[in-house]
Structures are given as structure tokens and as C-alpha cells.
Amino acid sequence: MQPDSSWQPLPSEPEALDEVRAWSLLRAVARQRRAEPRRAPRLSLALGADGEAQLTSSETCCLLVDADTGEFELRRPAPGGIARLFELYLPVCLGQARPSFVFAHIGQSLDGQIATSTGESQYVTGPENIRHLHRLRALCDAVVVGASTVESDDPQLTTRLVPGENPVRVVIDPALRLSEERKLFRDAAATTLVVCGAAARRGRDRHGQAELVALDSSTHELSPAAVVEALSRRGLRALFIEGGGVTVSRFLHARALDRLHLTVSPVFLGQGRPGIVLPAIGELTSALRPSARRFSLGEDVLFDCAL
Ligand SMILES: NC(=O)c1ccc[n+]([C@@H]2O[C@H](COP(=O)([O-])OP(=O)(O)OC[C@H]3O[C@@H](n4cnc5c(N)ncnc54)[C@H](OP(=O)(O)O)[C@@H]3O)[C@@H](O)[C@H]2O)c1
């Protein structure tokens, strides 16, 4: 059979965006906003042959973003779910341009608990949400947890499930009650800071290998705004408050959060460790009712609350 002389190869199809490429683009948006917060709001980004994303001219780009409105346009075929990744993470990436940007996450049961009565919480939510947590860690300068989370979980707080740098790890331990043997204070995975009250410091600069950040406070409870300010003085502007419920609730109550991701998993834990606990209100009109968007993460539902 003779070849058909009129046959022409199809122009090469632009490569579809998969989750890996989408994440590379999102990280590039976050890096750009952090590095040049005052640059013109319209960003165009492309992927290089190595899979790394960078700013480019708009003709060749695969992502256009308006940093003021958060609107975006994908210029590559994007299979189902990929556009939702941009919808979920772009507000966190774009927030990096602010002098201080604080976001939190809580993963809870249908009955509002984040752990069982013995403190077991690994894992209340499903694998998609755990991956989501690692992505949020990769989008912050510092991940902040309360002392009880370190006591119960002995966590590493790294980004090991996704591409991205480990953030600085911060533990709020006002009276320095945690053992210096906890992993965070011993391993070299990332810098660790311990925020404590000035009285607990007793002339020391370190807790294990972690550095102490002592805050003057007339009370055992430290003001979330003072924590944010102390970290910001160290160049840590994008803060991810990862838990537990007590710590996130204090930040929320003090109006020190810009966004809260609250993931609900279809499980009942019975009375355990509660998620968000705020002072009682009498009238429904006094309720805090943030604008919220909903996302499916496997079996779980994530509420992204703008505060
Ligand atoms: N599902 C999830 O999303 C999730 C996430 C993280 C942890 N967890 C689980 O949740 C449990 C721990 O959570 P939790 O709510 O009980 O405690 P937590 O928030 O981890 O730690 C609370 C403690 O941290 C210190 N702290 C936090 N903010 C402070 C502030 N502004 N000023 C002074 N001290 C402050 C206090 O230490 P003192 O007690 O010394 O005053 C406070 O009691 C663990 O079981 C963990 O496994 C679940």
C-alpha cells in the first residue's frame, strides 16, 4: 500500500496538566508572591522540560493568574480535579504576598473530635487529607503546633509526602513542659523553635536542639498576635497553625487567622479531644459565619473558610 502523500502529522498536543505539574505551578506562584509581593498582579507561568514552573510571557504560558482577584485560566488540557487543585491552593499561594499570613487546619470527626480520649489521632481523616496537610506545610514558612500535639504524636512536621521544602517547626510550650527527647527537638530535618513564656526560660537559649523564643507575658496564655509578631521578626511570615484544637481555637478566637481549612471525616469518635472550641454565644446573630467553599478529599469534605 502506498503512503497517502496528503497525510500530515498532527501538531503536537500540548501536554495535559497532571497533579505533579499542577503542584509545581502552584509552588511557583507562592514563590513569586513571596519574592515580589508588589509586582503587577497578572502572572503567567510555564513549565520547563525539567517539570519546574517559572514566570514566562503570556503567549507560551500554561497558567494565567490574577493575583488581585484569584481568578485563573489554565491553557493546557486539565483532566477532572486539576482545576479544583488551583481553586483550593491559589488563595494560600497568593496570601504569601502579605507581610503576615496565617492559615490553619483541623481534621475532625462528624462529632467534632480531632482525637480519641487517649489522644490518638493518626489518622482521623483519609490519605488525601494527609497529603493536603503536607502541601500546606510546603506553602508556609513555619508550621505551628501546641504542646499537647507534640506530647501525643511526637510528630516530624515535614513535607515528606510532596515536593517542597520542610518549613521551620514551631511548638508553643509556655512552661517548657515537653521532654527534650521529642523528635522535633532532636532531629535535623528542619529548624525548630519553641515559643515559651519568659519566666520558663531560666537563662537557657535551647531546648534540645531547638531554639527558644521567649515572650514577655503576664499570663500563662500567650497572645497569638505576639506569637505571630515574634515569628515575623524572624522572617517567618506565612504561618500554618496545624493543631491541635486548643491552639487553633485560640488563634481563631483572637482573630489571628486569615483562613481555616476544616476537614470533616465520616467517622464518630465519641468524646475525645474537641476541634474548635469558642466561648458560648447567646444569639445566633453573634455567630461567626465565614464565607466558605467546599472541596471533596476522598471520603472527607474540606471547608475552606475565609476569615
Ligand atoms: N486531627 C487534627 O487535625 C489534629 C491536629 C493536631 C493534633 N491533633 C491531636 O490533637 C491532640 C492535641 O490537641 P489539643 O487541642 O489537645 O492541644 P494542642 O493544641 O496540641 O496543645 C495545646 C497546648 O499548647 C499550648 N498552647 C497552645 N497555644 C497556646 C497559647 N496561645 N498560649 C499558651 N499556650 C499555648 C498550651 O500548653 P500548656 O498545656 O502547657 O498550657 C496548650 O494547652 C492530640 O491528641 C493530637 O494527636 C489532631
Side-chain angles (χ1 to χ4, degrees):
M1 196 167 87
Q2 293 296 312
D4 178 354
S5 59
S6 65
W7 183 84
Q8 292 288 325
L10 280 172
S12 61
E13 287 288 325
E15 273 191 286
L17 283 180
D18 57 12
E19 212 171 310
V20 174
R21 292 186 174 106
W23 179 236
S24 178
L25 286 162
L26 284 159
R27 286 175 59 220
V29 172
R31 275 199 306 275
Q32 190 284 331
R33 295 314 286 159
R34 194 178 305 211
E36 299 177 286
R38 276 185 277 280
R39 195 187 160 109
R42 211 166 153 73
L43 308 176
S44 24
L45 295 104
L47 287 158
D50 58 359
E52 281 302 306
Q54 55 188 15
L55 286 182
T56 182
S57 68
S58 56
E59 293 79 45
T60 58
C61 74
C62 47
L63 169 68
L64 271 172
V65 180
D66 184 319
D68 283 345
T69 63
E71 283 168 16
F72 67 95
E73 187 189 323
L74 297 176
R75 296 224 171 140
R76 291 281 182 279
I82 295 298
R84 287 298 273 168
L85 283 180
F86 287 92
E87 287 168 16
L88 176 56
Y89 293 107
L90 268 179
V92 181
C93 299
L94 297 174
Q96 315 272 325
R98 297 194 204 165
S100 136
F101 179 54
V102 188
F103 53 99
H105 173 273
I106 279 290
Q108 68 176 47
S109 63
L110 286 171
D111 49 351
Q113 309 298 303
I114 60 167
T116 65
S117 58
T118 59
E120 198 184 329
S121 71
Q122 288 172 343
Y123 294 99
V124 174
T125 55
E128 290 85 352
N129 188 56
I130 303 306
R131 206 170 155 70
H132 171 64
L133 276 179
H134 284 234
R135 285 195 173 127
L136 291 182
R137 290 176 188 166
L139 292 176
C140 68
D141 296 319
V143 54
V144 180
V145 293
S148 302
T149 293
V150 175
E151 187 178 43
S152 297
D153 300 352
D154 200 10
Q156 299 173 67
L157 304 179
T158 62
T159 58
R160 59 198 178 277
L161 297 183
V162 296
E165 280 173 31
N166 290 333
V168 169
R169 304 170 297 186
V170 178
V171 183
I172 308 182
D173 183 9
L176 285 183
R177 68 174 162 91
L178 291 171
S179 155
E180 291 184 27
E181 297 307 316
R182 303 274 93 185
K183 284 193 198 111
L184 288 176
F185 307 142
R186 290 278 154 217
D187 72 16
T191 301
T192 303
L193 305 176
V194 183
V195 178
C196 64
R201 183 175 190 167
R202 289 193 219 96
R204 285 186 294 157
D205 288 330
R206 302 218 157 248
H207 192 67
Q209 288 174 16
E211 194 184 328
L212 293 181
V213 178
L215 299 186
D216 286 321
S217 174
S218 53
T219 56
H220 176 82
E221 191 166 330
L222 306 171
S223 133
V227 174
V228 172
E229 197 191 313
L231 296 178
S232 149
R233 274 200 300 261
R234 290 164 177 262
L236 304 172
R237 291 168 23 202
L239 304 181
F240 170 34
I241 317 300
E242 189 172 317
V246 169
T247 304
V248 173
S249 299
R250 286 182 184 172
F251 273 77
L252 180 60
H253 182 51
R255 298 188 179 274
L257 289 183
D258 295 299
R259 290 196 102 80
L260 171 64
H261 284 187
L262 195 151
T263 303
V264 182
S265 187
V267 60
F268 292 97
L269 293 185
Q271 203 171 8
R273 306 271 177 104
I276 301 296
V277 178
L278 294 174
I281 54 165
E283 316 265 315
L284 260 181
T285 49
S286 318
L288 176 61
R289 210 183 279 272
S291 73
R293 304 180 304 157
R294 277 192 304 271
F295 295 86
S296 293
L297 291 179
E299 293 288 295
D300 304 334
V301 178
L302 181 151
F303 290 85
D304 170 23
C305 306
L307 295 157

